[in-house]
Amino acid sequence: MSYNNSIKQTGMVAIVGRPNVGKSSLFNKIIGTRTAIVDDSPGVTRDRLYGQSDWNGREFTLIDTGGLEPDSKDLILSKMLAQAQVAILSADVIVLVVDIRTGMSATDKDIANILLKSGKPILLCVNKCDNVGETHPDFYEFYNLGLGEPFAVSSVHGHGTGDLLDAIVKLLPVPDSEYEDEYKEITKIAIIGKPNSGKSSLVNKIVGEERAIVSDIAGTTRDALDTIAERNGEKFLLIDTAGLRRKSRVIENIEHYSVIRALNAVERADVAVIMIDACVGFTEQDSKIAGYAHEKGKATVIAINKWDLVEKDGKTMSVFKKQLAVDFSFMSYAPYVFISALTGQRIDKLFEIAKAALEQNLTRIGTGRLNDMLAYATSRVQPPTDRGRRLKLYYITQADVKPPTFVVFCNKIDLFHFSYQRYIENQIREAFGLDMTPIRIIPRERGE
């Protein structure tokens, strides 16, 4: 197993600065999407957040970091500093963001000194210069940081970002002419679940470094984080999501955005790994979280974490599986794996199962084979009748994958009841070995 810091090997740019200077707003403006959470509360971005951008034909990876407070003794703030330092070490160019409204602070000076020791190219971005053509009287004091000519920027309106990007791409290393975008087809795995279920611990165990902040404070991961890992010669993109909470507990706007971020992570993932805390057991929220993945038709694996902490006898796992079958009856196809993110127990098995589930999720079946199956299924169990009318199934074909989606042509859709649709679905699973993926049946009347 190895770890690659970059999503694409086309240069990395880290955005750093003290809390609430507009780093995430600048990040979002450059990459062109609302990826980083933006809020007026300081310390909103806690982990490294990656995004892809390009300027004048040059692609680069942008890293948004948590606000830096070098002298803070606070647990979260100190870990944010550690995360930012990792970003600084892996970056080719560093952009220090400061706030024109608050002026230069002692913290800005401390951060500048840390950056100068890195030996990396540094660009100074004076943010919140919203009035075009006007120079704020405090602008020139930022020359005292010793970082050269400052760039006056408004990350909200986009003023000055073009000049900043011109300077960034000039400092980026020349890309390898033989470089290929090897990550386009990489398998993407979203790790979702309640707060404090061990999602970030799992990512950190896989990649072998403290990639995401881990603590016993529920909800310390607020953004969806991308990490590239290699397992048994195959690369995976791991998306560590913020813990999803019940709506009654989503009080801050920050929590609201985190839920949206987790749902977006599920949408762009190939496989969803649902983390369940074995010490807590199944909850209603686990069911809702799984429901998001089920509705999107994702290949899904249910990972029961912290299994090393459970007191066991010879029947413990069997009893747990039986209860899971009841709890997740709406997605009975999803396989289970009992893991420990702390010790690494069965993590290799988790990858094997995730890969197998994805292969099924991508399965295509020829029309001839499908209709042979349909003929056998309808001869084995006759279609239902209603008031003298019998359902007739004429034809079946596969319309899509992710998940495998089948269109069944019949005489009357209202006769094609849910129970018989489930029977046809089970026949498809049995005939073609699709026992670990959601399947969709779409009835159509002949002629539609």
Side-chain angles (χ1 to χ4, degrees), residues 415-439:
L415 295 175
F416 200 175
H417 301 308
F418 172 79
S419 59
Y420 203 72
Q421 286 187 37
R422 177 57 62 90
Y423 166 70
I424 295 299
E425 175 187 322
N426 290 336
Q427 291 300 300
I428 293 172
R429 292 185 183 280
E430 182 178 335
F432 304 108
L434 301 181
D435 59 338
M436 291 194 295
T437 178
I439 287 177

Side-chain angles (χ1 to χ4, degrees), residues 262-275:
L263 301 187
N264 288 339
V266 170
E267 286 185 3
R268 66 190 181 93
D270 300 309
V271 182
V273 173
I274 300 167
M275 297 281 285

